[in-house]
Amino acid sequence: RLHHGDFVMEQVVSALRSAAYFPVRSEKYGFWLEDKSNRDEISWVTSGSAFMKPDDPLARGLHRLWIGVEANEDGEDAFAVRAVPHFAEDLDIKEAEPWFISSRVRGLDCKIWDNEQEDWEDEWENTNQVPPLIQLTLYLEPAERYGEEIKVTRLVEIPIGPVTQGNVSRSPAAPGGGAGGTN
């Protein structure tokens, strides 16, 4: 079960590290977090193929992923993924058909590092940006009947995160306006 949780977590990490962002129409590229205790929902735009079905045309370009835990066809909690085109107008990601990845994953918790408060936060209001550092916890079904849930936790640095918040500056242009060297 732990290996299964690690596999699901690595897919989430891969998709997060492939986050895409462009400052034009930034509202279409931001990170969304809905805090629901241990049933959080997160969404972001990615260029990666993690969690995409092999024949899905969205896997070949930018798309918005939504991940969370919801009841599957059998009424059991399961880790679910939804994908939609990233520029869809009137975006309602809940209308997209869920793909249930794992019935062993029963919960998801996402926390965002707040540099100003120097603490983890359960909320993300900067939906036109991508956080640079998040903590994800997956809750897996217990190994034994009536046992405790198994927790798999990772800290994830999202490479594009600092750029979306203006924390990375560009180096000044080289003399002569070129990319480097001398004229």
Side-chain angles (χ1 to χ4, degrees):
R1 289 191 173 112
L2 188 56
H3 291 296
H4 182 78
D6 283 337
F7 173 77
V8 173
M9 180 64 82
E10 289 308 313
Q11 293 297 306
V12 175
V13 170
S14 175
L16 283 165
R17 289 190 176 148
S18 297
Y21 179 87
F22 296 94
V24 176
R25 297 195 64 191
S26 61
E27 72 279 2
K28 294 289 185 180
Y29 295 97
F31 180 89
W32 306 338
L33 165 63
E34 189 168 339
D35 181 40
K36 294 182 172 184
S37 187
N38 291 344
R39 292 178 61 100
D40 292 353
E41 299 174 2
I42 60 176
S43 179
W44 67 99
V45 173
T46 182
S47 62
S49 59
F51 292 129
M52 298 301 296
K53 295 178 182 177
D55 59 343
D56 194 325
L58 293 176
R60 294 188 265 301
L62 294 178
H63 52 279
R64 177 167 285 282
L65 275 184
W66 170 97
I67 64 171
V69 174
E70 62 184 74
N72 63 16
E73 306 88 15
D74 298 328
E76 296 178 355
D77 284 346
F79 185 83
V81 176
R82 298 171 191 265
V84 295
H86 74 290
F87 259 121
E89 293 299 322
D90 299 324
L91 178 69
D92 186 0
I93 203 155
K94 289 292 191 160
E95 290 179 8
E97 191 68 29
W99 185 24
F100 293 101
I101 303 296
S102 173
S103 60
R104 292 182 178 168
V105 177
R106 303 290 177 90
L108 169 70
D109 185 48
C110 180
K111 297 191 182 313
I112 309 289
W113 180 253
D114 184 331
N115 275 332
E116 291 178 15
Q117 299 295 324
E118 295 186 350
D119 199 7
W120 294 103
E121 299 291 329
D122 288 321
E123 296 179 8
W124 178 252
E125 295 177 5
N126 303 327
T127 58
N128 289 354
Q129 299 176 348
V130 177
L133 182 64
I134 65 175
Q135 176 183 297
L136 286 175
T137 302
L138 295 179
Y139 295 88
L140 308 174
E141 65 183 0
E144 303 171 352
R145 191 174 185 164
Y146 307 114
E148 290 186 32
E149 291 179 314
I150 299 169
K151 294 180 187 178
V152 177
T153 300
R154 297 280 189 287
L155 295 180
V156 183
E157 285 186 276
I158 304 175
I160 198 72
V163 173
T164 72
Q165 298 178 353
N167 294 336
V168 175
S169 62
R170 295 182 183 179
S171 59
T182 58
N183 291 343

